[in-house]
Amino acid sequence: MELNNFMKSYAEEIKGNFSEYDDQRSVIVVPLEMDRQQAVVGEIDPENNLISISSKVCVVEDGIRFKDLLEENHRSTFGKFTIVNDFLKVESRSPADIVSDEILKRAIQEVANLADKWEMNITGRDIF
């Protein structure tokens, strides 16, 4: 799959903004309700043949209710909370050789919505 081409096309479809970092990584700024937006990164890992869709929530800090995040993981289909480089993120990973365009679109939307929801819950702001 040509992930960057897919991300660019989907950004145009949802009237978001697209930026390509390199051959294997790009970002869509996904427009959300109430004039909010969320940056979602799409990245292909050729070594493991995985596509990762992720979005930052906030910097990890002691006051975060991790039990609530684990309960949210159970309710979500695609997005799961992770910690990477001291950032709380929502991430979805899929095998690159079998994932469909429709599944990737749903994953992008869920990751964007979950990250935005918890960003607001935790920080009270629209940061990422």
Side-chain angles (χ1 to χ4, degrees), residues 3 6-7 26 40-44 50-55 78-80 89-94 103-112:
L3 182 61
F6 167 82
M7 296 282 283
S26 57
V40 176
V41 176
E43 187 170 9
I44 193 147
L50 292 173
I51 292 175
S52 173
I53 304 296
S54 66
S55 184
F78 300 103
K80 304 299 178 197
K89 297 172 83 174
V90 177
E91 182 177 40
S92 174
R93 298 181 77 174
S94 304
I103 294 296
L104 278 179
K105 289 176 183 181
R106 290 176 53 198
I108 290 167
Q109 289 303 137
E110 182 173 292
V111 165

Side-chain angles (χ1 to χ4, degrees), residues 8-70:
K8 183 177 181 181
S9 173
Y10 189 55
E12 291 168 359
E13 181 180 322
I14 62 172
K15 297 181 179 28
N17 294 318
F18 169 83
S19 295
E20 185 175 307
Y21 290 133
D22 56 38
D23 292 349
Q24 299 171 339
R25 189 171 44 150
S26 57
V27 65
I28 298 174
V29 177
V30 178
L32 301 171
E33 293 180 357
M34 299 177 9
D35 291 327
R36 294 177 62 81
Q37 55 191 8
Q38 193 71 26
V40 176
V41 176
E43 187 170 9
I44 193 147
D45 175 358
E47 187 174 306
N48 295 305
N49 199 33
L50 292 173
I51 292 175
S52 173
I53 304 296
S54 66
S55 184
K56 291 180 181 176
V57 175
C58 63
V59 174
V60 174
E61 52 190 47
D62 291 336
I64 296 173
R65 299 177 322 265
F66 289 100
K67 181 179 182 244
D68 293 346
L69 300 180
L70 290 174

